[in-house]
Amino acid sequence: GGAHIYSLCASLGVAAAAGFVELHRSLAPYMAEPAKMAAMYLTGRFLSVAAYIGCGLLLLRIGRRFDQWVGWLAGLLFLFSPAAVVQAHVLKAPHLWAFFALWSVERSLSVVVGGKRRDYVLAGFAAGLAVGASLSAATVCAVVAAAAAIRIASGEKVKPELMNLALAGAAAIAAFFITNPYWLLDHAEAMKEYPLIARNTGANFWNPVVFLAQPLLQTVTLPILALMALGLGQALKRGRADRALLLVAVSFLIGVAGTSGAQLVEPARAMRHYLVWMALGLRGLWAAGAAS
């Protein structure tokens, strides 16, 4: 997606201005001196590393809503997870879209507690950037909608919440097309990719079970997965008294359910598509523990 490509281009531009890499219109100079190509790849990987660290910091920020140690444990568990570490070593989009997605979740938590229009818009915009980096992030858009639903179910007035949710949706759409303008400027060419996208999707309602039993289990280990399940139960149990805790639990369930529309949920390396749900599971575990 363009949100990743343009961010990558910007990082290469900064590196070129600082003299770390050389930019050429032709491939020939890089073929003649492979070290120049290696320097570009290394610089591009710094974007993955920055997003990886950013995810940890966002988990720290999210967790601190519940307790200081919740954030630290959640962030460290994520940063030391094999799935997260591996993706920090490649020049791909998973960590960047996970960062945007976690930013959307962080703002959605502010929405569910305070209901401010600004937080609605920022949550939607961040979700749009996540989808703009990878279409795999589409499920994230449901999180801010879940926040609005929780507020309405808690007795808030329906009309203002729906109006704010509409603004969040508009912000998400704007963020997507700003970072992927070719979907509008050259729609016919962009749609040539759609058959490939379609082949990678399709309803399979067994996928959530496979997701929990395969990539998630293998990347967090059985004891942590068991604690996540315990934490999820606690979060749902205490959700009436704590909207934020309920939203975390619901968001994790949204992510797990969303795997039913994906073709690839195994083996363990497939976790690159689901880093944000792994992150929420880890954070929800400790948040529930703190609430207990």
Side-chain angles (χ1 to χ4, degrees), residues 39-133:
M40 291 186 69
Y41 185 82
L42 182 61
T43 300
R45 275 183 52 199
F46 276 120
L47 179 63
S48 297
V49 173
Y52 160 73
I53 294 172
C55 287
L57 292 175
L58 274 172
L59 283 170
L60 170 62
R61 181 178 174 85
I62 291 170
R64 283 168 126 180
R65 291 176 176 272
F66 302 92
D67 191 273
Q68 183 78 13
W69 65 271
V70 172
W72 283 106
L73 283 172
L76 289 173
L77 273 172
F78 177 83
L79 291 175
F80 283 98
S81 166
V85 173
V86 167
Q87 291 307 311
H89 283 73
V90 296
L91 201 162
K92 290 187 177 182
H95 270 308
L96 187 65
W97 83 251
F99 171 80
F100 290 138
L102 285 172
W103 180 26
S104 181
V105 171
E106 190 271 332
R107 288 296 85 199
S108 294
L109 286 168
S110 293
V111 163
V112 82
V113 172
K116 292 183 179 178
R117 179 168 296 176
R118 180 191 64 182
D119 292 324
Y120 264 107
V121 172
L122 285 175
F125 187 76
L129 289 177
V131 182

